[in-house]
């Protein structure tokens, strides 16, 4: 089932991209990969020598442009170079390119505190001053969720689960609670202030992902320290079926760690806090669930049980509540139709994923439209048709910001990527956060006739095992198992498959021809050039669509989003400032001539 979630924060983009297999494409056809690999991004002559076999056919990709943009834009913040799997190492550049990182949220002491005296960053998940005393038999539950309790930033919340109703009672006086979305593994609620608080804005409001947790399989007797193991009865079998859709503690731990890990990367959701709760949902959350369900059309009702019914949850039900900053609205619920918005959204997502690849060897593995949020920097703009303020640049035509959310199926290295040549001890295996998708084969069994998204999961699986999205795993399963590939590994081509899907859906909704679209705030004297620019962007999007086709990925040499960004730089589709996140900041500066 498509996941629809709304949370996170989009900050100004920062630099990444350290090294890349660079290749080119003619404007008239798909890219041809360069045979050589960039082993050093320092001297211009050396760079050109390493592009052996590269045919530069496009006037947009003159050697001087390629040398400058690839050399500068593919460096990391500290001058080190990330070495993705199966890539040749790149020598550390002598000159560091100082780049900005995603700005952190304001510290608590920078703004006034709300009436109930909670620090700003903990306004939502503030620990109640007086908890209900836990019953002795709940000790086993605390042990069961200890890995999650340990991830809470509030020390008082690390001891035992907080009663759901006690926790919610501290929210009700200050926040309106509305359910806004749901996914296969959790429900999403938005908290909005009932009245203004000095120093707080809508950017300080939060969304909560509420996840029901599976209970411990073996409980301790409240009167004995020995484990009590009883024969499974019909009642217990029914209970197993009831909790089958709930999440395991380990899977939520992995997701929270990924949230923490990816927060500094521009374009990824801002994680704030988490809390472990216990008990039936509070009345305010029950009311929000009922309002959401009532608003849904027939056939689209909630997939989660009614929390107001006693049979849905019991007094010992465990919950993980993850708080994030609001990122706006997901693309499942907004249809963008103009080419300027489509261009900004696609490259906003692509650059964020590319930065995740470089810094953390990140794969999203579930990047459908419900997991991409957009919002406008201009409060009065419509998301579906934002104002176009300039067409004299290569990115940032609109005020739309993108944020990638929901890392339930995602994968990332939890240790910083290093270029050291010192081998790690065989026993020191790096920590990786991931979900073994083979444990849930239903992911790969969706009906693509119902939604093309389901085909992408199968493409992703074939790409992971056999490096060919169209490979028939049914007939080549033994080969796949002997390949040595597994979901724990880094397989960045999966990100390209999801970008293919994102572009497919965006183009499906886009209005053609683009030159006939209204140009909003564009001055009259610029409109003729803007129409030419729209036609040019159409042509480039067509080339991108060809490059990202699953049928061609196994042969055109594209192995990662980093490769795709290298193509964009070399072809002149984007500038270095766009990749570094500097182009949008020049919104108020008029360029003397159109850059392309």
């Amino acid at each position: 089932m498509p996941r629809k979630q709304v949370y996170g924060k989009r900050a100004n983009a920062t630099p990444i991209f350290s090294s890349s297999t660079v290749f080119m494409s003619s404007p008239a056809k798909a890219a041809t990969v360069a045979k050589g690999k960039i082993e050093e991004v320092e001297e211009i002559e050396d760079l050109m020598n390493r592009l052996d076999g590269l045919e530069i056919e496009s006037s947009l990709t003159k050697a001087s442009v390629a040398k400058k943009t690839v050399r500068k834009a593919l460096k990391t913040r500290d001058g080190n170079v990330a070495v993705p799997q199966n890539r040749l190492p790149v020598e550390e550049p002598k000159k560091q390119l100082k780049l900005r990182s995603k700005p952190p949220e304001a510290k608590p002491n920078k703004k006034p505190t709300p009436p109930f005296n909670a620090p700003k960053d903990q306004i939502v998940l503030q620990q109640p001053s007086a908890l209900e005393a836990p019953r002795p038999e709940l000790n086993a539950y605390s042990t069961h969720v200890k890995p999650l309790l340990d991830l809470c930033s509030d020390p008082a919340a690390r001891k035992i689960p907080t009663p759901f109703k006690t926790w919610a009672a501290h929210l009700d006086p200050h926040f309106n609670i509305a359910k806004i979305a749901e996914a296969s593994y959790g429900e999403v609620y938005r908290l909005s202030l009932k009245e203004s608080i000095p120093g707080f804005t809508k950017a300080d409001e939060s969304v909560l992902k509420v996840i029901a947790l599976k209970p411990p399989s073996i409980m301790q007797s409240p009167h004995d320290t020995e484990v009590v193991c009883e024969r499974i009865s019909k009642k217990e079998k029914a209970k197993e079926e009831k909790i089958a859709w709930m999440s395991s503690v380990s899977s939520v731990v992995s997701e929270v760690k990924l949230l923490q890990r990816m927060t500094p990367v521009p374009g990824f959701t801002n994680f704030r806090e988490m809390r472990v709760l216990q008990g039936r949902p509070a009345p305010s959350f029950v009311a929000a669930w009922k309002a959401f369900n009532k608003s849904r059309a027939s056939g689209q009702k909630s997939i989660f049980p009614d929390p107001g019914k006693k049979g849905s949850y019991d007094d010992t039900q465990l919950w993980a509540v993850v708080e994030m900053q609001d990122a706006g609205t997901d693309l499942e619920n907004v249809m963008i139709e103009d080419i300027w918005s489509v261009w900004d959204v696609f490259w906003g997502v692509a650059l964020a994923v590319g930065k995740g690849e470089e810094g953390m060897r990140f794969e999203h593995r579930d990047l459908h439209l419900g997991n991409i949020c957009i919002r406008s920097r201009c409060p009065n703009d419509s998301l579906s048709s934002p104002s176009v303020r300039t067409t004299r640049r290569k990115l940032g035509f609109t005020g739309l910001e993108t944020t990638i959310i929901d890392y339930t199926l995602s994968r990332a290295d939890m240790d910083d990527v290093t270029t050291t040549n010192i081998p790690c001890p065989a026993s020191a295996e790096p920590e990786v956060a991931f979900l073994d998708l083979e444990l849930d084969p239903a992911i790969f069994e969706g009906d693509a006739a119902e939604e093309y998204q389901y085909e992408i999961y199968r493409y992703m699986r074939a790409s992971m095992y056999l490096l060919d999205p169209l490979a028939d795993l049914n007939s080549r399963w033994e080969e796949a198992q002997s390949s040595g590939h597994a979901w724990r590994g880094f397989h960045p081509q999966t990100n390209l498959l999801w970008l293919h899907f994102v572009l497919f859906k965006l183009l499906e909704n886009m209005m053609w021809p683009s030159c006939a679209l209204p140009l909003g705030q564009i001055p009259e004297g610029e409109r003729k050039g803007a129409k030419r620019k729209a036609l040019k962007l159409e042509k480039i999007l067509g080339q991108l669509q060809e490059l990202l086709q699953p049928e061609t990925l196994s042969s055109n040499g594209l192995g990662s989003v980093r490769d795709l960004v290298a193509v964009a730089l070399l072809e002149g589709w984007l500038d270095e400032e766009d990749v570094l996140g500097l182009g949008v900041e020049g919104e108020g500066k008029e360029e003397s001539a159109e850059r392309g």
Side-chain angles (χ1 to χ4, degrees), residues 141-151 158 249 253:
Y141 285 94
S142 297
T143 302
H144 176 59
V145 294
K146 188 177 186 306
L148 282 172
L149 291 170
D150 290 342
L151 293 175
R158 298 176 193 158
V249 169
V253 167

Side-chain angles (χ1 to χ4, degrees), residues 99-175:
L99 305 170
R100 298 168 305 109
S101 61
K102 181 177 179 179
E105 295 187 71
K107 296 181 180 179
N109 60 2
K110 295 293 184 181
K111 290 185 177 181
T113 55
F116 52 101
N117 198 31
K120 188 212 77 171
D121 284 343
Q122 297 178 14
I123 181 172
V124 174
L125 300 177
Q126 176 68 19
Q127 178 75 7
S129 56
L131 292 178
E132 298 173 4
R135 298 192 300 271
E137 61 266 28
L138 298 187
N139 290 341
Y141 285 94
S142 297
T143 302
H144 176 59
V145 294
K146 188 177 186 306
L148 282 172
L149 291 170
D150 290 342
L151 293 175
C152 298
S153 62
D154 184 355
R158 298 176 193 158
K159 299 176 182 178
I160 59 172
T162 303
F164 202 132
K165 293 181 180 179
T166 305
W167 172 78
H170 286 256
L171 303 180
D172 294 342
H174 308 286
F175 295 98

Side-chain angles (χ1 to χ4, degrees), residues 1 179 182 289-304:
M1 171 170 293
K179 180 175 175 177
E182 57 186 35
W289 185 95
K290 290 183 179 296
F292 173 85
N293 202 48
K294 186 177 180 180
S295 68
R296 308 292 285 180
S298 177
Q300 298 180 358
K301 298 297 183 180
S302 177
I303 62 173
F304 295 90

Side-chain angles (χ1 to χ4, degrees), residues 380-402:
N380 298 326
D381 264 9
S382 166
L383 291 179
S384 58
S385 56
S387 299
V388 181
R389 286 168 170 74
T390 180
T391 60
R392 290 184 170 182
R393 65 179 64 191
K394 296 180 179 178
L395 185 64
F397 304 115
T398 67
L400 292 179
E401 296 178 330
T402 59

Side-chain angles (χ1 to χ4, degrees), residues 393 583-591:
R393 65 179 64 191
V584 174
E585 291 187 352
E587 240 177 273
K589 300 178 182 178
E590 292 291 335
E591 298 183 41

